[in-house]
């Protein structure tokens, strides 16, 4: 599962060779470690608009190299004013330290009526995605559209983006809307007293999700098929959670889960639909069974479980549903018509259920991972695997924990305004960009 090119390129000799030959030079990404500062340097802020108070709270003061550059672009209401981006960033962008963070805050264009304002705010996407591609050394750039009135709701998102937790998230556009936000009493353990269900939790990304949600204070119910029973118990024990052996596609799975959570926990707060399978074949060679298996695990089961939990009122207020999609669901992929159909369907599920979840004081979002180092990707043929690792702005694959940290941000009670989003955890993959 380890990347030999990454190990080589990060060695002393490898650094010399890759720079001489102009080969990709993947940086060592800074990831969250308890007790360490969120960023390696101070945060410099610029711009002006509705988020002045937020900016003041995050500006730390101090000299370069900077850990983060944050720009409030909500005051920009015509294209001429976009030069404010150049004026702020151009002199300081080279002073951003390794694994630094760029965040631009804007107003959702769809909520504006004046043509120049819509144009100016939409332009921010092109700016941020290009900055993300220019940045080196493991740095990232994101655009956060904050609805009018949702200014206080952006805190959990900024804390995530301005930290090592978002190591493999770059070039993303995130929307934060109005909602009743509950600030956690303790930002180190925002999920204290919350109960989470993670499907496919015995290994890979699911095991990492269970670990991170438990680290943040949740009691995690880890679910997987019986064949994964011993690995599942190991994960559940490690995170101080519970194990449930269940095939998520079985017809009675939704009813059994409703009963389980209502009897033991009086409901569930966080549901992460992570279980997924691949049965890759080009369409002409794909059997009906391969099609059905993938659609059933990756999509139909998620819909049925959501339906069961929502109808029974088992998802508590300020609840969270998170779907695990894939960049294949955005870009498509050869040999994956079944998989990409299912993963695009997950995005449809998020979009269509977001209003209903909001009306219940809850949210539904998805992550779309790119190339993540797991058993699933270890099975990919070597050449395609290496290409998958390199075809992104970070020139390396992500780790399961990168997906898990993104899900933990969605799960945070303070993320009530983060609803209907699909955030790629792909190091700004070129696929589907
Ligand atoms: P994995 O194969 O290591 O783990 C998937 C888990 O789901 C396994 O433990 C499996 O037993 C479980 N599972 C499968 N069918 C199930 C069922 N019917 N009921 C209950 N559990 C079931 O995969 P992973 O790489 O950790 O991927 C996790 C999720 O992330 C999947 O949805 C996958 O499609 C998605 N994803 C992964 C990548 C990647 O690069 N690894 C990229 C994009 C998306």
């Amino acid at each position: 599962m380890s990347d030999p090119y990454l190990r080589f390129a990060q060695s002393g000799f490898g650094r010399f060779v890759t720079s001489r030959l102009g080969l990709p030079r993947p940086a060592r990404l800074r990831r969250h470690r308890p007790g360490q500062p969120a960023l390696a340097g101070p945060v410099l802020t610029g711009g002006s608009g509705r988020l002045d108070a937020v900016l003041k709270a995050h500006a730390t003061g101090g000299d370069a190299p900077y850990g983060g550059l944050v720009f409030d672009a909500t005051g920009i209401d015509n294209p001429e004013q976009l030069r404010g981006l150049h004026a702020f960033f151009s002199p300081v962008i080279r002073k951003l330290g390794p694994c630094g963070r760029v965040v631009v805050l804007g107003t959702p264009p769809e909520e504006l009526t004046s043509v120049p304002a819509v144009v100016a705010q939409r332009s921010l996407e092109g700016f941020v995605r290009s900055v993300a591609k220019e940045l080196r050394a493991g740095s990232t750039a994101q655009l956060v559209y904050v609805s009018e009135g949702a200014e206080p709701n952006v805190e959990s998102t900024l804390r995530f983006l301005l930290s090592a937790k978002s190591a493999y998230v770059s070039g993303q556009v995130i929307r934060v809307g109005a909602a009743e936000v509950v600030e956690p009493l303790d930002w180190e353990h925002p999920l204290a007293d919350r109960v989470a269900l993670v499907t496919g939790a015995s290994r890979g990304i699911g095991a990492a999700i269970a670990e991170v949600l438990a680290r943040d204070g949740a009691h995690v119910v880890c679910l997987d098929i019986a064949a994964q029973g011993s690995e599942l118990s190991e994960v559940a024990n490690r995170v101080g959670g519970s194990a449930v052996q269940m095939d998520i596609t079985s017809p009675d799975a939704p009813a059994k889960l409703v009963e389980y959570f209502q009897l033991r926990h009086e409901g569930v707060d966080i549901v992460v639909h992570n279980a997924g399978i691949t049965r890759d074949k080009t369409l002409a060679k794909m059997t009906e069974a391969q099609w059905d298996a993938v659609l059933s695990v990756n999509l139909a089961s998620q819909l049925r479980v959501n339906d069961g939990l929502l109808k029974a009122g088992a998802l508590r207020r300020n609840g969270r549903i998170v779907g695990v999609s894939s960049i294949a669901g955005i870009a498509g992929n050869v040999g994956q018509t079944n998989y990409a159909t299912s993963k695009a369907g997950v995005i449809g599920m998020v979009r269509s259920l977001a209003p209903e979840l909001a009306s219940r004081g809850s949210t539904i979002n998805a992550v779309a991972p790119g190339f993540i180092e797991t058993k699933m990707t270890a099975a990919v043929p070597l050449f395609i695997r290496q290409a998958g690792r390199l075809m992104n702005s970070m020139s390396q694959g992500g780790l399961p924990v990168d997906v898990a940290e993104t899900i933990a941000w969605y799960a945070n009670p303070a993320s009530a305004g983060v609803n209907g989003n699909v955030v790629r955890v792909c190091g700004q993959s070129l696929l589907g960009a």
Side-chain angles (χ1 to χ4, degrees), residues 90 118 228 314:
S90 183
V118 171
Q228 287 291 112

Side-chain angles (χ1 to χ4, degrees), residues 20-350:
R20 277 299 175 90
L21 298 180
L23 293 171
R25 297 171 67 195
R28 195 178 298 276
L29 300 186
R30 186 170 178 272
R31 290 190 167 88
H32 172 78
R33 291 234 200 102
Q36 283 205 346
L39 293 175
V43 174
L44 183 72
T45 61
S48 67
R50 290 182 287 115
L51 292 150
D52 274 351
V54 174
L55 247 54
K56 276 203 187 92
H58 283 273
T60 48
D63 295 329
Y66 298 112
L69 302 172
V70 183
F71 186 87
D72 180 2
T74 57
I76 293 181
D77 51 23
N78 65 61
E80 288 79 57
Q81 292 171 354
L82 288 167
R83 71 163 66 88
L85 293 166
H86 178 267
F88 173 71
F89 283 106
S90 183
V92 293
I93 197 82
R94 283 218 186 105
K95 297 180 184 166
L96 189 66
C99 300
R101 299 285 181 264
V102 168
V103 177
V104 175
L105 302 161
T107 301
E110 62 276 13
E111 293 177 11
L112 295 167
T113 46
S114 122
V115 173
V118 171
V119 171
Q121 289 298 320
R122 181 61 180 76
S123 301
L124 300 175
E125 276 200 32
F127 176 78
V128 168
R129 290 195 209 276
S130 301
V131 170
K133 289 188 177 180
E134 286 188 9
L135 290 172
R136 290 279 169 265
S139 293
T140 66
Q142 335 281 350
L143 171 61
V144 184
Y145 281 131
V146 184
S147 297
E148 295 239 15
E151 295 80 11
N153 299 1
V154 79
E155 184 61 22
S156 67
T157 301
L158 278 182
R159 280 179 185 250
F160 170 62
L161 297 178
L162 296 175
S163 80
K165 293 179 176 176
S166 53
Y168 201 61
V169 177
S170 194
Q172 296 306 290
V173 179
I174 292 162
R175 282 175 165 74
V176 178
E180 197 185 309
V181 164
V182 183
E183 285 239 339
L185 294 173
D186 172 5
W187 281 98
E188 290 294 306
H189 301 102
L191 305 182
D193 301 327
R194 303 210 125 206
V195 175
L197 167 68
V198 180
T199 68
S202 72
R203 65 184 204 193
I205 295 172
I209 299 168
E211 278 161 18
V212 170
L213 296 184
R215 175 204 69 192
D216 282 0
H219 176 87
V220 183
V221 177
C222 305
L223 180 151
D224 214 304
I225 49 174
Q228 287 291 112
S230 62
E231 287 98 325
L232 182 67
S233 311
E234 234 173 77
V235 174
N237 287 340
R238 199 163 65 231
V239 305
S242 319
V244 170
Q245 291 184 15
M246 186 185 287
D247 180 339
I248 202 70
T249 64
S250 69
D252 59 356
K256 277 191 170 159
L257 284 174
V258 167
E259 193 189 332
Y260 178 95
F261 282 106
Q262 283 186 330
L263 280 179
R264 290 175 199 232
H265 302 285
E266 293 170 15
V268 59
D269 300 289
I270 301 156
V271 176
V272 184
H273 294 295
N274 164 77
I277 59 168
T278 51
R279 296 286 183 271
D280 295 356
K281 278 276 182 287
T282 52
L283 188 53
K285 292 184 185 153
M286 187 178 292
T287 64
E288 200 175 60
Q290 287 165 333
W291 177 273
D292 286 346
V294 169
L295 268 289
S296 167
V297 178
N298 297 7
L299 183 60
S301 71
Q302 300 196 15
L303 293 173
R304 290 191 311 113
V305 169
N306 290 344
D307 205 40
L309 291 173
L310 292 176
K311 280 202 175 116
L315 184 75
R316 284 203 280 257
R317 209 172 160 76
N318 207 8
R320 301 281 182 268
I321 299 179
V322 182
V324 177
S325 178
S326 163
I327 58 167
I330 296 169
N333 202 10
V334 175
Q336 292 201 312
T337 48
N338 50 358
Y339 185 75
T341 302
S342 71
K343 295 298 187 180
V346 169
I347 296 174
M349 172 183 93
V350 164

Side-chain angles (χ1 to χ4, degrees), residues 1 31 165 168 203-212 274 367 369 371-377 397-408 425:
M1 266 188 270
R31 290 190 167 88
K165 293 179 176 176
Y168 201 61
R203 65 184 204 193
I205 295 172
I209 299 168
E211 278 161 18
V212 170
N274 164 77
V367 287
F371 187 98
I372 306 294
E373 305 282 355
T374 67
K375 279 194 176 158
M376 191 183 259
T377 45
L399 299 181
V401 71
D402 299 325
V403 181
E405 296 283 14
T406 308
I407 290 174
V425 185

